[in-house]
Amino acid sequence: MRIVFIITLFISSYVSAETLYQFNIEQQAADKALTLFAQQANTTLLFPIELAERETANDLQGEFSLALGIVKLLEGTGLYPVNEQDGSISVRAIRYIEFQPKNIKISDDFAANGNATYIEKIAIVGSRFPPRSVIDSPVPLDILSIEEFTRQGSSDFNSMLATLIPSFNVNDQPINDASMLVRPSNLRGMASDHTLILINGKRRHRSAAITFLGGGLSDGSQGVDLSTIPASSVKQIEVLRNGAAAQYGSDAIAGVINFVLNDDDQGGRIETRVGSYRQGDGELLQMQSHVGLSLNKRGFAHFSAEYKQQAGTSNSVQREDAKALISAGNLAVTDPAQIWGIPTIHYDVKFATNLAYQLNEVDEFYTFANVAQRKIEGGFYFRNPQTRKGVFDGGLDGNGIPHLLVADMDGVGQGISCPIVNLLDDNVLDDADYALIADKTTPVGQNCFAFNEIFPGGFTPQFGGIMSDAALVSGLKGQTQTNWSYDISLGLGYSEIDYSISQTVNPSLGNLSPTTFSPGLAAQYERNFNIDLFKPFKLADDFILNVATGAEWRRETYRQQAGDLASYAIGEFAFDPLTGLSQGFSVGSNGFPGYGPKSVGSWQRGNWAIYGDVEMHMSQAFLFGLAIRYENFSDFGDNLDGKISLLKPINDKYSLRGSISTGFKAPTVGQSNVVNVTTAYAPQGLEDQATLPPTHPISVQLGATPLQPEKSTNLSFGVVSEPYENLYITLDYFNIELKDRISTTSPLRLSDEDMQTLLDAGVTEASNYGSAKFFTNDFDSTTQGLDLVMHYDTHWFDIRTRVIFSYNWTDTQVNNVNLYPQTDIDGSVVMKSNLSPQRIKMIEDNLPQHRANFSFEQTFQRFSSYFRLNYYSAFYEDHLNAAAGYDINAGAELTLDVDFSYYLTTAFRLSLGAKNLFDNRADINPYAHIAGSVYPTTSPIGLSGGFYYLRGIAEF
């Protein structure tokens, strides 16, 4: 059998066969001639590339219909055109024309009949010129069909990509604030916002979620929320593993991922998936559907919908402090007191549409859009009913004895006094002094209050939110009278997170505090306007120059909206303005204080860019690309980037390729302006940590300066080989030098002098925070690695077989850490790095340096099987991000995924599968007693083990 390529230069025209087209194609190799035919006719062709490379097509000059033109072009060759049922034209080898599968409906790129031909994919990402395949690209490129993408146990985009692409990593983010709601992902060891996301080649808006706690590597990043894209709407996924800021602008440092939406004008699919983890939790229900419609044979409209809900999981043991409470007689403590696992998805609804309509022979209107909303909820850290500061723990008395925090309702020193309740053991509930304040029938009990009365066993806040997302892109593309292809588009994007927190309190409100809060809302708006132009110039028989140019305008807005009053109110038990005394209770909804008046606002930034991009095809033996892009931002100025790429065939089996480019990532509007307070572990235990803008007075006091863009130099070179028929191998080395990386600082404690300076300046909120963080251009890094991909299609005993092996090695080293003024123990000011050694090691070693996937797929008549072996090398974790000596050096892991499918009829099949079939788990966490997590929380294989599922798929 022969490899077949889909050449899609534009959306299919859907005009009648009688329409005449002007062709100007000279006699040449059939693969080149067919590419020109598709371009000049503005249509789609399917043809066998390997045969076409060996055939010589005829000269075709003048006006012809599609049917007559392609017959004349291929007359006398071993190729023959075939009219498909949908009206399109495909090209096949003459000896295979008679083959037509009768009994089984072919699904996607892997037919259910063993004699079918494999369809290779073509990508548009990475080049603004005619699309190319993996082996024709001068830069590393992965192309995934939707079938191989969805044929796995994972049900969210990040995990699905991570399963198939070794250089793409993602892990669970339990108890990590916004990271739990929108998980950050990492391509080639970079942060999540170092990868540019495109939909149909157009920039996708970023999420409103900023990952304040991102496992070290992604701390402070603000990337795209991939989970808002319905998998059912996607036709294929193109992953460019190469710097591309000179082509696409900010963020494309690690690479680009382009999601190509389904453009079928007929048929559709309905799929239902159910599953659960081996341990019996995490039950999943997912329903997907999509349908394509023809628009009077001049266009298409494709609609997709998806619904998902999934229960949370628990991989927890009882914390030792909770055990001590229970042993002392406090039976109100839950077991386990704290849950580690995936959060609960109450609902996740997504809709998408992709539409195009041919206005005339050369101009086309297109639009695509999607809306999504989901509700997620997960747990926070356990609040010990005797040690949680600001809620239960009142500090030490004059004799160094800890005592319970008790609210004096009529004011300190006024009226009835409250007894001092010393914390002499692990159960204050049986203390006689506590009994006095808990007895509400007495004057003392009516005047005194402790939160142990509401939460006798402590509490674990439940944090979540409703994430809403919408995007719309509309445009017009076609060809001018001077044969310039144009594409004009306008894109709108919106992301919103409406946070919620329950089973907690605002301690400063005392007994009047609610236990459920709406802490506020964060939103991201983006508007993009693009003009792109392209034209090929034939300078000689063996010299073609493709020229592209264009301009882009973008405006980004980040907004924070206030939460309900109770979520941020400063109650009388925090500070009494009449007496000037504080009773020591913390302010705001505990765990995630609401956005108050000083935190809310709307901040904007505009930028515009122009670019030029050329590719020179100097005969079939050389391809040279050059791109340059100038961009200007309203908040920090301008930027200029360039890229050079090269593909040089050595012979008919081997080619060399390489590229060198500069890149940048602009600081996001959110990073420059966000205000957030979260509860996190520190060496001294739980504390409230504020993340503040670098321009905030507290940040300035701690040494902050305004943010500047990150700058990168990206080098890549490798070899592409087709040593045998249906086998290709690519091996690429990459090196990314990234300067002025943006991250949040480690928590910086405010000295007494800092505190007094800020209070004297009127910054009263300084006294509310145990420590503060801010975004900063913190350090430089060097990331290098290797990508190896081997792909082989064959027949074994008439069984269609595909074997894929992929391997990635990535190594990151932190360089040139910036220093900041900090107050030493003796009161002197010294210059120190805010990055702890543990945080640096997390950036360097938290992701496995070595990853490999081996997949084996077979299809015979009605049955197909899929096996994928996944390898992850050892990794490091600073458990709880505490920098407190909880270092974990976990070993390598191996998992096996399987999927078996069977066609019950020509249009319905069942799939039974498993992700991590043998329920492999990461090494046991040696610090499980600290916070209750059985396994390292950043394990690359997750916390919950094997997941087993059943899919029912109906096609029509």
Side-chain angles (χ1 to χ4, degrees):
M1 297 298 102
R2 293 296 185 264
I3 294 179
V4 175
F5 274 71
I6 296 177
I7 295 295
T8 306
L9 297 178
F10 303 95
I11 301 298
S12 300
S13 60
Y14 299 94
V15 296
S16 65
E18 289 72 28
T19 301
L20 298 182
Y21 297 87
Q22 181 67 42
F23 293 101
N24 179 20
I25 303 174
E26 297 180 354
Q27 186 181 37
Q28 58 188 293
D31 61 319
K32 305 297 183 184
L34 287 169
T35 299
L36 289 173
F37 185 94
Q39 180 182 346
Q40 295 177 16
N42 192 19
T43 190
T44 299
L45 284 181
L46 179 72
F47 69 88
I49 185 64
E50 288 189 347
L51 282 183
E53 288 175 341
R54 300 167 189 163
E55 299 285 350
T56 300
N58 301 306
D59 182 88
L60 186 65
Q61 304 290 337
E63 289 189 343
F64 300 93
S65 66
L66 287 180
L68 181 58
I70 198 164
V71 167
K72 285 185 171 295
L73 185 72
L74 299 177
E75 186 177 5
T77 69
L79 305 174
Y80 192 85
V82 175
N83 292 317
E84 302 293 350
Q85 292 181 352
D86 62 358
S88 64
I89 299 175
S90 65
V91 177
R92 305 182 191 178
I94 289 176
R95 62 179 179 274
Y96 294 131
I97 291 299
E98 71 279 5
F99 171 70
Q100 180 69 29
K102 299 291 185 183
N103 58 331
I104 299 297
K105 185 173 182 178
I106 295 177
S107 175
D108 201 77
D109 71 336
F110 208 97
N113 190 301
N115 295 321
T117 301
Y118 171 63
I119 300 176
E120 179 63 90
K121 283 82 65 177
I122 293 294
I124 62 172
V125 72
S127 173
R128 298 185 182 274
F129 308 111
R132 53 172 55 102
S133 70
V134 170
I135 58 175
D136 289 332
S137 173
V139 293
L141 180 66
D142 297 309
I143 307 176
L144 309 174
S145 73
I146 193 60
E147 185 68 15
E148 59 188 312
F149 185 63
T150 57
R151 199 169 187 180
Q152 54 176 296
S154 302
S155 58
D156 69 280
F157 256 76
N158 279 333
S159 296
M160 294 161 83
L161 283 171
T163 299
L164 296 177
I165 305 172
S167 59
F168 190 91
N169 289 272
V170 66
N171 49 37
D172 292 334
Q173 295 284 335
I175 315 183
N176 263 3
D177 285 9
S179 302
M180 180 178 67
L181 308 180
V182 180
R183 293 194 302 159
S185 54
N186 313 100
L187 181 66
R188 282 191 158 178
M190 299 283 102
S192 61
D193 53 7
H194 290 147
T195 301
L196 178 63
I197 305 299
L198 306 176
I199 306 290
N200 277 355
K202 305 298 181 181
R203 177 182 285 265
R204 179 74 171 183
H205 63 277
R206 63 181 78 250
S207 168
I210 300 176
T211 55
F212 302 105
L213 300 172
L217 181 60
S218 292
D219 287 352
S221 65
Q222 187 183 2
V224 173
D225 184 2
L226 296 179
S227 61
T228 60
I229 305 170
S232 57
S233 69
V234 177
K235 178 180 181 179
Q236 74 176 29
I237 300 165
E238 305 162 356
V239 183
L240 176 69
R241 294 176 276 111
N242 190 260
Q247 296 163 291
Y248 299 104
S250 177
D251 303 352
I253 289 177
V256 182
I257 301 178
N258 182 41
F259 296 92
V260 181
L261 299 182
N262 201 321
D263 56 3
D264 290 343
D265 68 339
Q266 62 179 350
R269 172 188 287 194
I270 299 174
E271 176 179 334
T272 300
R273 179 195 302 242
V274 294
S276 72
Y277 286 92
R278 184 171 182 175
Q279 59 196 22
D281 54 9
E283 299 91 339
L284 169 73
L285 170 64
Q286 185 178 41
M287 294 178 287
Q288 300 175 322
S289 65
H290 66 90
V291 61
L293 304 173
S294 176
L295 301 179
N296 196 29
K297 294 192 176 182
R298 295 180 63 88
F300 68 88
H302 202 95
F303 301 95
S304 306
E306 184 175 317
Y307 174 82
K308 171 184 171 181
Q309 63 182 41
Q310 186 168 20
T313 64
S314 175
N315 297 274
S316 314
V317 295
Q318 188 62 292
R319 299 162 46 121
E320 286 202 351
D321 60 343
K323 287 182 180 179
L325 292 167
I326 296 172
S327 297
N330 189 337
L331 302 182
V333 179
T334 58
D335 188 6
Q338 183 175 320
I339 302 297
W340 292 91
I342 65 172
T344 297
I345 302 175
H346 293 284
Y347 63 82
D348 186 358
V349 183
K350 311 170 193 175
F351 299 95
T353 183
N354 186 28
L355 179 149
Y357 188 79
Q358 201 75 27
L359 301 176
N360 51 49
E361 292 185 6
V362 296
D363 298 312
E364 175 188 86
F365 169 79
Y366 64 90
T367 186
F368 53 92
N370 87 286
V371 294
Q373 187 177 86
R374 71 181 183 274
K375 181 180 180 180
I376 296 182
E377 186 177 43
F380 266 4
Y381 288 105
F382 170 62
R383 270 60 175 168
N384 188 298
Q386 300 194 186
T387 62
R388 177 60 174 134
K389 292 180 173 61
V391 185
F392 300 108
D393 180 9
L396 304 177
D397 63 15
N399 297 318
I401 298 174
H403 63 276
L404 189 68
L405 190 57
V406 177
D408 191 329
M409 311 291 280
D410 60 9
V412 178
Q414 308 293 318
I416 300 174
S417 298
C418 296
I420 295 177
V421 181
N422 290 324
L423 300 173
L424 302 176
D425 57 25
D426 286 317
N427 186 12
V428 71
L429 301 180
D430 60 9
D431 186 278
D433 290 322
Y434 172 76
L436 293 176
I437 65 172
D439 184 359
K440 299 307 177 187
T441 63
T442 67
V444 171
Q446 294 170 5
N447 182 60
C448 303
F449 168 78
F451 277 103
N452 305 70
E453 299 175 51
I454 300 177
F455 297 111
F459 62 95
T460 304
Q462 298 297 296
F463 176 74
I466 296 176
M467 281 136 286
S468 303
D469 195 278
L472 170 67
V473 175
S474 295
L476 187 68
K477 62 183 178 180
Q479 199 168 48
T480 69
Q481 293 183 349
T482 56
N483 294 323
W484 281 89
S485 298
Y486 70 88
D487 187 342
I488 302 174
S489 65
L490 174 65
L492 306 173
Y494 175 71
S495 173
E496 174 189 288
I497 301 181
D498 191 356
Y499 294 108
S500 63
I501 189 167
S502 60
Q503 297 184 35
T504 188
V505 293
N506 180 341
S508 69
L509 299 178
N511 62 340
L512 298 180
S513 173
T515 57
T516 298
F517 303 86
S518 296
L521 177 150
Q524 175 84 10
Y525 308 81
E526 292 186 23
R527 288 165 283 177
N528 292 274
F529 179 74
N530 292 84
I531 299 176
D532 300 299
L533 300 170
F534 159 73
K535 185 176 181 179
F537 295 88
K538 186 173 182 180
L539 305 180
D541 289 342
D542 58 353
F543 192 166
I544 297 176
L545 180 67
N546 291 322
V547 178
T549 186
E552 180 178 17
W553 172 87
R554 183 167 72 255
R555 180 166 290 277
E556 302 175 60
T557 302
Y558 181 77
R559 177 171 66 93
Q560 287 190 170
Q561 181 176 303
D564 57 45
L565 179 61
S567 69
Y568 64 84
I570 303 175
E572 62 178 305
F573 303 107
F575 181 77
D576 187 345
L578 297 178
T579 64
L581 299 176
S582 172
Q583 295 196 32
F585 287 87
S586 61
V587 174
S589 44
N590 193 264
F592 195 91
Y595 296 141
K598 293 184 179 180
S599 302
V600 303
S602 179
W603 303 273
Q604 296 187 10
R605 175 180 67 202
N607 74 284
W608 58 269
I610 55 174
Y611 74 87
D613 198 347
V614 296
E615 278 189 357
M616 291 174 281
H617 297 257
M618 302 176 186
S619 77
Q620 298 182 15
F622 191 71
L623 185 152
F624 175 78
L626 175 65
I628 190 168
R629 185 183 183 98
Y630 172 81
E631 202 145 355
N632 181 274
F633 290 80
S634 60
D635 54 353
F636 64 80
D638 55 9
N639 185 81
L640 182 67
D641 282 309
K643 180 176 182 177
I644 298 174
S645 57
L646 175 70
L647 178 67
K648 172 63 177 175
I650 303 302
N651 51 41
D652 60 353
K653 293 184 178 181
Y654 296 92
S655 298
L656 297 178
R657 65 184 180 186
S659 69
I660 184 169
S661 63
T662 61
F664 78 109
K665 191 199 83 68
T668 72
V669 182
Q671 289 172 332
S672 297
N673 297 280
V674 68
V675 176
N676 183 73
V677 180
T678 188
T679 302
Y681 251 90
Q684 63 275 9
L686 285 181
E687 69 174 14
D688 291 332
Q689 297 175 355
T691 301
L692 305 171
T695 54
H696 192 282
I698 293 178
S699 303
V700 174
Q701 181 70 24
L702 293 171
T705 57
L707 291 176
Q708 296 298 316
E710 301 171 308
K711 298 291 186 71
S712 71
T713 301
N714 194 313
L715 172 68
S716 175
F717 60 85
V719 60
V720 180
S721 174
E722 288 184 278
Y724 304 106
E725 187 176 43
N726 297 335
L727 168 66
Y728 74 78
I729 303 171
T730 64
L731 176 64
D732 295 279
Y733 168 82
F734 63 90
N735 185 290
I736 305 172
E737 299 278 349
L738 186 54
K739 295 184 179 298
D740 297 325
R741 287 188 65 164
I742 296 174
S743 180
T744 55
T745 67
S746 296
L748 303 175
R749 300 194 63 79
L750 290 164
S751 66
D752 293 339
E753 292 78 6
D754 290 333
M755 194 80 69
Q756 192 58 53
T757 300
L758 291 164
L759 293 175
D760 291 344
V763 187
T764 57
E765 68 265 34
S767 60
N768 298 333
Y769 310 138
S771 61
K773 302 188 293 182
F774 52 85
F775 288 93
T776 181
N777 296 99
D778 211 16
F779 61 96
D780 301 341
S781 68
T782 300
T783 300
Q784 62 175 337
L786 285 173
D787 288 315
L788 171 66
V789 177
M790 303 176 62
H791 193 295
Y792 182 54
D793 279 275
T794 187
H795 284 82
W796 289 351
F797 306 105
D798 290 329
I799 299 175
R800 184 73 174 83
T801 302
R802 179 186 301 170
V803 180
I804 301 175
F805 174 76
S806 54
Y807 163 80
N808 169 260
W809 164 66
T810 298
D811 175 73
T812 296
Q813 297 295 320
V814 172
N815 313 315
N816 302 326
V817 177
N818 292 337
L819 303 178
Y820 299 87
Q822 296 183 35
T823 304
D824 211 348
I825 298 176
D826 61 3
S828 61
V829 176
V830 296
M831 300 298 291
K832 291 184 179 180
S833 164
N834 78 80
L835 290 181
S836 65
Q838 292 91 338
R839 182 121 177 261
I840 291 175
K841 195 167 177 58
M842 282 289 285
I843 295 170
E844 295 179 339
D845 298 327
N846 181 234
L847 298 181
Q849 283 197 2
H850 303 272
R851 276 197 56 194
N853 293 337
F854 175 81
S855 62
F856 183 82
E857 184 175 3
Q858 289 189 308
T859 300
F860 180 72
Q861 295 183 353
R862 295 174 178 262
F863 179 78
S864 67
S865 61
Y866 188 72
F867 298 85
R868 182 173 50 248
L869 196 63
N870 311 290
Y871 170 78
Y872 307 85
S873 68
F875 68 98
Y876 165 82
E877 176 180 297
D878 172 28
H879 189 53
L880 307 178
N881 290 320
Y886 307 147
D887 297 318
I888 300 175
N889 292 288
E893 300 295 343
L894 196 66
T895 65
L896 176 66
D897 304 336
V898 298
D899 184 280
F900 302 99
S901 293
Y902 185 78
Y903 275 88
L904 299 176
T905 69
T906 59
F908 181 75
R909 60 187 164 114
L910 289 176
S911 291
L912 180 67
K915 180 178 175 64
N916 191 356
L917 175 66
F918 298 113
D919 194 35
N920 185 30
R921 304 295 183 100
D923 295 347
I924 296 296
N925 174 18
Y927 308 106
H929 61 283
I930 302 295
S933 177
V934 178
Y935 309 105
T937 58
T938 60
S939 166
I941 64 172
L943 302 179
S944 303
F947 182 81
Y948 307 88
Y949 63 90
L950 175 67
R951 293 194 299 159
I953 304 160
E955 298 173 318
F956 54 90

